[in-house]
Amino acid sequence: MPDSAPSLAANATVALRLAEALARHGVTLTFGQSLPSAFHLAAPHAGIEQKVYRQENMGGTMADGYARISGKVGVVTAQNGPAATLLVPPLAEALKASVPVIALVQEVTRDSTDRNAFQEFDHLKMFDPVAKFVRRIDRADRLEDYVDMAFAAATSGRPGPAVLLLPADLLLERAAPVARRRANLGSYPLDRVRPEAARIEEAAALLARAARPVVIAGGGVHLSGAAEELAALQEEAHLPVATTFMGKGSVAETHPLSIGVVGNTMGLGARARALRPLVAEADVVLLVGNRTNQNGTDSWTLYPADARFIHIDPDPLEIGRNYEALRLTGDARATLAALRTAMAGQDLAARAAARPALERRIGAAVEEWRGLVAGVCARDGGPVRPERVAAEIDRRLPEDGIMVADASYSSNWINIYMTARRAGQRFLTPRGLAGLGWGVPLAIGAQVAAPERRVVCLCGDGGFGHSWAELETLQRLALPVTVVVLNNGILGFQKHAEDTKYGEHTIACDFGAVDHAAIARACGIAGHRVARGEELGAALDAAFASGAPALIEVLTDPDAKPPLTMYHGHFPEPF
């Protein structure tokens, strides 16, 4: 692209107009490989930086992690054909987890469409099931129309991914005149809609009169930036609050009315195990940004069948999907703010009177749990217990730190053995589809979004095997992410679940020996191997003090299992 402004304007292409349109929506960086090359060469002229990934699956997840932390749309780019197919998994995760991501995908030239051109594929059909909005832009004069539609789709209602398909020749066309559009639609939620006042008042009355109310907060609290409103409601209305995996951090778990994470991880060793009756026996349940999915409801056995439900969600189809509810269709933050006001007009004397006993009950259960797990969380020697790994990180993670975990066991370890110390603290896990391998790229995206904050990623050796190549990305971008790999030599969840269900497991569950620390060093990153529990603290301190990317491989106990309810009675407990 020409360097001087006059010649740039005179020779402006559709690729430059695309970059300018993205910049109008607040985009300052994209995650991409070389293609669409015309766009990436033009983008710096619009102030857009390129963050290069190694593989599209990972790049899409980086855009997801960036969006979750920045509050802005994450943008990823890809080539047509095989590269585009690798965007399907991360976009599917973003769709299920309600994360706004826009994918810019190159198409073959328009004159070669439907002629078996090189790497031609029907991207419209391929992306349709995993995106809210998919369009091919065939005309330069419609570019900004479609860009705005994509951003509106990604950030409005229930956020999610959108895909724009860009023919290679279109990007090189002479640009249309600069459009008159001025809107910035790049932050979410785009529209903070709230329910009608009568329904808010009805919900407030139900909660105030309830004998055993409970709030269960999901990931929608974080997407809406509603943590402070929820924390205020918890305190002012004397309400106990539990969270789902993705909702962890919605309230401070140090608050005396915080139950912790509930769902399918409430076996022996779970903080919330003894508090299950607070959910199971509730008479009024307030769901906030909660999909009522299988894991979060322990296969729909946890929530009470005869309770009255109130459900806050921006997606009207989610309300009542599994539990008929008073419908509060709207943005979580705006709706909670209105509910707080309505609750202030209710008689809360009964709630206030019930609070001391409720606090004692929760406090006693949490103290009992701490006593139960104290030994395993401090156990020396090797192989190292994952509970100790989570506890050591927890002691060092600041309140504004971002904890990221891969799917499967890693997500369980951080949700059970780490503590949210303030409302709004972030714990990122791929729980939309819970695919392995997304921990490292989620952490990369989060660190790009928040370069001043500490980002730690916990992943198993099974999941980490999907993302080894992105260590080079960490090194190249000089991001100070600390990656902790739990190396137990097995595909843990799969092996233990198969043993539980079938009494044996498939040969795919056992790995050969891999030196993950050596892989990190080969990529130019500090790599350290820990074989004993007492060595871990110093290794973490060194990694954090370095201000550089680092990998700590911890040789962990292959018999260690999170407290999944499905395991109860099948395996010996470590306590």
Side-chain angles (χ1 to χ4, degrees), residues 354-443:
R355 177 169 177 163
L358 184 58
E359 287 187 356
R360 287 194 297 271
R361 183 177 179 182
I362 293 173
V366 172
E367 282 306 307
E368 182 183 359
W369 165 72
R370 287 184 178 137
L372 176 68
V373 304
V376 74
C377 287
R379 189 168 298 171
D380 288 340
V384 183
R385 293 292 304 193
E387 296 94 334
R388 174 151 192 181
V389 177
E392 293 284 358
I393 297 171
D394 194 39
R395 279 193 281 272
R396 292 165 171 80
L397 192 70
E399 288 187 358
D400 69 343
I402 300 168
M403 188 67 212
V404 183
D406 214 316
S408 196
Y409 278 180
S410 299
S411 297
N412 289 270
W413 297 127
I414 72 164
N415 275 307
I416 297 165
Y417 292 99
M418 296 189 67
T419 303
R421 292 183 173 82
R422 68 172 179 89
Q425 187 171 353
R426 298 307 303 271
F427 297 81
L428 302 191
T429 54
R431 305 305 300 183
L433 286 180
L436 279 178
W438 289 339
V440 170
L442 272 179

Side-chain angles (χ1 to χ4, degrees), residues 166-516:
L166 308 166
D169 59 318
L170 173 73
L171 293 173
L172 296 175
E173 265 190 20
R174 183 78 175 270
V178 176
R180 285 184 244 175
R181 288 181 176 267
R182 296 293 181 267
N184 180 340
L185 310 176
S187 299
Y188 65 95
L190 181 59
D191 308 304
R192 291 196 180 273
V193 178
R194 68 170 64 180
E196 59 185 289
R199 289 192 180 178
I200 294 287
E201 291 294 337
E202 183 180 355
L206 280 171
L207 288 166
R209 294 197 301 262
R212 301 176 305 279
V214 70
V215 181
I216 309 176
V221 172
H222 291 300
L223 291 167
S224 173
E228 290 185 7
E229 289 292 344
L230 179 59
L233 180 67
Q234 177 186 38
E235 177 61 29
E236 296 163 3
H238 320 291
L239 294 170
V241 179
T243 74
T244 66
F245 268 38
M246 291 191 68
K248 185 178 176 73
S250 298
V251 292
E253 290 173 334
T254 54
H255 191 282
L257 289 175
S258 290
I259 295 170
V261 176
V262 299
N264 67 339
T265 53
M266 297 179 76
L268 187 64
R271 167 193 163 113
R273 176 177 171 78
L275 299 173
R276 187 180 181 107
L278 290 182
V279 177
E281 298 171 8
D283 60 344
V284 175
V285 179
L286 172 61
L287 304 171
V288 187
N290 180 338
R291 293 177 293 155
T292 65
N293 65 4
Q294 183 172 14
N295 289 347
T297 61
D298 201 5
S299 294
W300 305 285
T301 65
L302 174 62
Y303 293 7
D306 55 355
R308 185 71 190 273
F309 285 84
I310 305 164
H311 199 159
I312 300 172
D313 202 278
D315 184 352
L317 294 179
E318 283 302 322
I319 299 175
R321 179 191 288 271
N322 293 313
Y323 300 91
E324 187 174 12
L326 172 61
R327 301 175 60 83
L328 299 184
T329 305
D331 169 68
R333 192 174 83 185
T335 304
L336 286 171
L339 184 58
R340 280 181 61 203
T341 300
M343 290 293 289
Q346 296 286 325
D347 182 358
L348 297 177
R351 296 275 2 106
R355 177 169 177 163
L358 184 58
E359 287 187 356
R360 287 194 297 271
R361 183 177 179 182
I362 293 173
V366 172
E367 282 306 307
E368 182 183 359
W369 165 72
R370 287 184 178 137
L372 176 68
V373 304
V376 74
C377 287
R379 189 168 298 171
D380 288 340
V384 183
R385 293 292 304 193
E387 296 94 334
R388 174 151 192 181
V389 177
E392 293 284 358
I393 297 171
D394 194 39
R395 279 193 281 272
R396 292 165 171 80
L397 192 70
E399 288 187 358
D400 69 343
I402 300 168
M403 188 67 212
V404 183
D406 214 316
S408 196
Y409 278 180
S410 299
S411 297
N412 289 270
W413 297 127
I414 72 164
N415 275 307
I416 297 165
Y417 292 99
M418 296 189 67
T419 303
R421 292 183 173 82
R422 68 172 179 89
Q425 187 171 353
R426 298 307 303 271
F427 297 81
L428 302 191
T429 54
R431 305 305 300 183
L433 286 180
L436 279 178
W438 289 339
V440 170
L442 272 179
I444 290 173
Q447 189 75 85
V448 169
E452 75 290 351
R453 293 161 69 183
R454 177 167 296 163
V455 177
V456 183
C457 175
L458 184 73
C459 51
D461 49 346
F464 184 61
H466 292 260
S467 54
W468 289 348
E470 302 305 333
L471 291 179
E472 187 275 334
T473 302
L474 264 183
Q475 189 274 337
R476 189 180 346 174
L477 298 180
L479 298 172
V481 174
T482 299
V483 179
V484 180
V485 178
L486 304 177
N487 181 0
N488 60 5
I490 61 170
L491 199 58
F493 192 8
Q494 191 65 31
K495 181 175 182 176
H496 297 149
E498 289 178 6
D499 285 343
T500 300
K501 294 177 181 179
Y502 310 113
E504 58 181 333
H505 56 268
T506 58
I507 62 172
C509 296
D510 295 295
F511 300 141
V514 176
D515 189 336
H516 301 88

Side-chain angles (χ1 to χ4, degrees), residues 16-200:
L16 179 61
R17 289 284 183 266
L18 173 61
E20 291 169 343
L22 295 180
R24 174 165 57 84
H25 293 293
V27 175
T28 58
L29 59 90
T30 62
F31 296 90
Q33 270 287 349
S34 291
L35 296 171
S37 301
F39 166 76
H40 284 301
L41 291 170
H45 295 289
I48 296 176
E49 183 183 1
Q50 182 180 359
K51 302 292 185 181
V52 180
Y53 56 75
R54 293 295 295 259
Q55 193 236 52
E56 286 73 18
N57 190 324
M58 302 293 113
T61 308
M62 291 174 198
D64 178 326
Y66 174 84
R68 295 192 198 198
I69 296 301
S70 69
K72 299 166 59 177
V73 173
V75 180
V76 62
T77 70
Q79 183 180 352
N80 48 293
T85 66
L86 292 172
L87 282 183
V88 170
L91 293 184
E93 167 69 22
L95 182 69
K96 294 288 284 186
S98 306
V99 179
V101 172
I102 288 181
L104 306 177
V105 179
Q106 181 166 290
E107 283 272 34
V108 299
T109 59
R110 287 165 292 181
D111 62 355
S112 61
T113 301
D114 294 328
R115 301 181 69 181
N116 287 331
F118 180 62
Q119 296 187 333
E120 181 184 16
F121 198 73
D122 191 340
H123 297 128
L124 285 166
K125 286 184 179 178
M126 181 179 75
F127 287 121
D128 184 65
V130 299
K132 292 179 64 180
F133 178 89
V134 187
R135 293 293 189 278
R136 179 167 49 225
I137 306 177
D138 288 322
R139 293 178 44 167
D141 61 351
R142 296 299 309 282
L143 175 76
E144 295 217 39
D145 299 343
Y146 282 116
V147 169
D148 281 21
M149 282 189 277
F151 274 89
T155 58
S156 64
R158 179 179 177 180
V163 181
L164 292 175
L165 305 174
L166 308 166
D169 59 318
L170 173 73
L171 293 173
L172 296 175
E173 265 190 20
R174 183 78 175 270
V178 176
R180 285 184 244 175
R181 288 181 176 267
R182 296 293 181 267
N184 180 340
L185 310 176
S187 299
Y188 65 95
L190 181 59
D191 308 304
R192 291 196 180 273
V193 178
R194 68 170 64 180
E196 59 185 289
R199 289 192 180 178
I200 294 287

Side-chain angles (χ1 to χ4, degrees), residues 475 483 516-517 520-528 542-543 546 548-553:
Q475 189 274 337
V483 179
H516 301 88
R521 291 192 295 272
C523 293
I525 289 176
H528 185 70
S546 71
L551 181 141
I552 301 171
E553 178 181 21

